[in-house]
Amino acid sequence: MITENRMKAKIKAGEPAFGVSITFPAPELAEMVAQVGYDWILIDAEHGSHTITDVYQMVLACELHGLTPIVRPQVKDADVILRYMDRGAMGVQVPHVNTAEEAEAAVRAVKFHPVGDRGLGGGRKSYGMSTSEFIEAANRETLVCVQIEHMEGVENLDEILQVPDVDVFFIGPSDLSQSMGYPGQRTNPEVKKVLAECFRKIHAAGKASGTPGGPSEAAENVERGILYHYTHSQNLIATSGRA
């Protein structure tokens, strides 16, 4: 059944939500992360090794401990997104969104009629609910996050921000720095300038923003009004180990 997406509720209330990105199949790690008090898990199938079965198992672990499972698909393809949604993902973080049309396509892939055109096979979340109840709950609780990580997306950001039913506009600093000709140089003054302007536009439009970052970066980003945060599991382990 579809239950409340507590991470989405926090963001809608203007509260920061903190997550951990996991790139390999490890339900036990998701369970450990839950005990520390995180809000959500990014199941990263774009850069990770997750199969559809792995994602299903990760989703189950998240559900057991009250974490919100969000999947980053390999590509911005409706057929790929559908399979993850039907396995119980509560939303997607769609990579490489460069135009308003691509953002609209992401919404359509996640939402059912009348908001979108996701295939109505139901999936495991529909068990125990009527079709109408399931559609209403799924459209209300699922989250759509689009990643702006190329200069083309930055140049089209004003139009992308006008797309309805996108919950989070995520700025990916690594790929964006590469797109600008400064690969990996997140702190390059030119890169920082573009990042700051993106967040300014998102917040001025009254929308929620997101970006990755470790502990010190996350604290700074909260002060900047960013609501959707995650650190990578390998960074979390390394930081804890050094501490």
Side-chain angles (χ1 to χ4, degrees):
M1 293 181 65
I2 297 283
T3 56
E4 182 190 25
N5 186 333
R6 285 181 281 182
M7 172 256 225
K8 180 176 178 176
K10 289 188 73 171
I11 290 173
K12 287 178 70 69
E15 301 173 14
F18 299 97
V20 175
S21 166
I22 300 179
T23 57
F24 50 92
E28 297 87 350
L29 181 55
E31 293 180 318
M32 294 174 194
V33 165
Q35 302 310 310
V36 186
Y38 282 90
D39 301 299
W40 64 287
I41 292 289
L42 178 65
I43 305 168
D44 191 348
E46 181 194 14
H47 293 292
S49 58
H50 298 284
T51 66
I52 189 67
T53 301
D54 296 330
V55 169
Y56 182 29
Q57 293 172 344
M58 293 289 286
V59 166
L60 291 175
C62 288
E63 291 175 350
L64 184 63
H65 295 278
L67 290 169
T68 297
I70 304 295
V71 176
R72 176 155 60 184
Q74 298 94 318
V75 290
K76 52 192 178 197
D77 183 286
D79 292 335
V80 174
I81 292 171
L82 172 65
R83 298 189 71 205
Y84 295 132
M85 297 304 298
D86 278 357
R87 298 283 67 74
M90 289 301 290
V92 290
Q93 180 175 314
V94 181
H96 310 294
V97 172
N98 294 317
T99 66
E101 290 76 17
E102 291 176 349
E104 290 167 354
V107 172
R108 291 197 304 272
V110 172
K111 306 293 186 179
F112 295 110
H113 178 84
V115 183
D117 51 21
R118 172 183 164 190
L120 189 53
R124 54 178 292 270
K125 286 286 190 177
S126 67
Y127 302 161
M129 306 179 75
S130 70
T131 300
S132 60
E133 289 173 330
F134 171 61
I135 289 173
E136 180 182 2
N139 281 355
R140 181 182 66 247
E141 300 299 336
T142 51
L143 178 139
V144 179
C145 171
V146 297
Q147 286 191 209
I148 312 299
E149 49 188 340
H150 302 281
M151 281 307 297
E152 182 183 359
V154 171
E155 291 160 0
N156 292 323
L157 183 55
D158 290 331
E159 291 77 22
I160 295 171
L161 286 168
Q162 296 178 35
V163 175
D165 298 298
V166 174
D167 299 290
V168 178
F169 297 84
F170 180 93
I171 307 299
S174 295
D175 277 334
L176 181 56
S177 68
Q178 178 169 252
S179 176
M180 294 178 63
Y182 305 104
Q185 300 179 42
R186 295 188 184 191
T187 58
N188 180 286
E190 292 300 315
V191 175
K192 291 179 70 174
K193 180 180 177 181
V194 171
L195 291 172
E197 178 62 10
C198 287
F199 290 123
R200 185 196 68 77
K201 286 187 173 184
I202 294 168
H203 299 159
K207 306 291 186 177
S209 64
T211 202
S216 60
E217 293 171 305
E220 180 181 337
N221 288 335
V222 168
E223 292 296 320
R224 298 165 69 190
I226 296 168
L227 298 178
Y228 180 99
H229 307 264
Y230 71 79
T231 187
H232 298 284
S233 57
Q234 59 269 33
N235 294 343
L236 180 66
I237 293 169
T239 301
S240 300
R242 284 192 293 267

